[in-house]
């Protein structure tokens, strides 16, 4: 689950800080050690944990699981990412933010 680590580090959070933030926002009650196990692949995150990550970091669960390569079309100006979404899913609008591709 490298993407879990990536999004946490992108926001400059330690595991302990993330655990506290999840708790403060009433998203998830989890210890830093458990978060570390998620990141290292020693334990699979629950659906509730994935939802908490997605909500806190404003990414999709698909992104966290590695099913898509970009967080959202609005996050990039790279035309290849737009083309990827259009070709892969035959989409006219980003399914995450609604932006016209």
């Amino acid at each position: 689950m490298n993407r879990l680590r990536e999004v946490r580090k992108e926001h400059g959070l330690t595991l302990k800080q993330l655990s506290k933030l999840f708790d403060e926002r009433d998203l998830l009650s989890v210890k830093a050690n458990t978060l570390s196990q998620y990141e290292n692949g020693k334990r699979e995150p629950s659906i509730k944990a994935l939802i908490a990550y997605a909500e806190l970091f404003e990414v999709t669960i698909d992104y966290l699981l590695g099913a898509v390569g970009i967080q959202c079309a609005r996050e990039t100006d790279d035309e290849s990412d737009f083309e990827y979404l259009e070709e892969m899913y035959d989409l006219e609008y980003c399914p995450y933010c609604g932006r016209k591709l």
Side-chain angles (χ1 to χ4, degrees), residues 1 9 22 24 32 35 47-48 50-51 63 68 81 88:
M1 284 286 153
K9 288 192 172 202
F22 278 146
E24 288 173 352
L35 296 174
I47 295 296
K48 186 175 180 177
L50 291 171
I51 291 169
Y63 176 77
V68 295
D81 288 337
M88 187 73 171

Side-chain angles (χ1 to χ4, degrees), residues 47-63:
I47 295 296
K48 186 175 180 177
L50 291 171
I51 291 169
Y53 270 90
E55 187 175 324
L56 182 66
F57 296 119
E58 297 180 343
V59 297
T60 66
I61 291 174
D62 285 348
Y63 176 77

Side-chain angles (χ1 to χ4, degrees), residues 78-88:
D78 185 354
E79 283 298 316
S80 65
D81 288 337
F82 294 128
E83 290 170 8
Y84 168 80
L85 284 172
E86 288 174 316
E87 290 174 19
M88 187 73 171

Side-chain angles (χ1 to χ4, degrees), residues 1 4-5 8 13-23 28-43 45 49-50 52-53 56-57:
M1 284 286 153
L4 299 179
R5 180 181 294 124
R8 174 180 60 81
L13 296 169
T14 65
L15 290 166
K16 193 177 246 186
Q17 290 169 327
L18 179 57
S19 173
K20 185 177 178 182
L21 193 55
F22 278 146
D23 193 46
L28 187 66
S29 180
V30 64
K31 294 182 180 186
N33 184 42
T34 302
L35 296 174
S36 175
Q37 290 176 345
Y38 293 162
E39 290 184 4
N40 293 313
K42 294 180 181 176
R43 185 172 178 176
L50 291 171
Y53 270 90
L56 182 66
F57 296 119

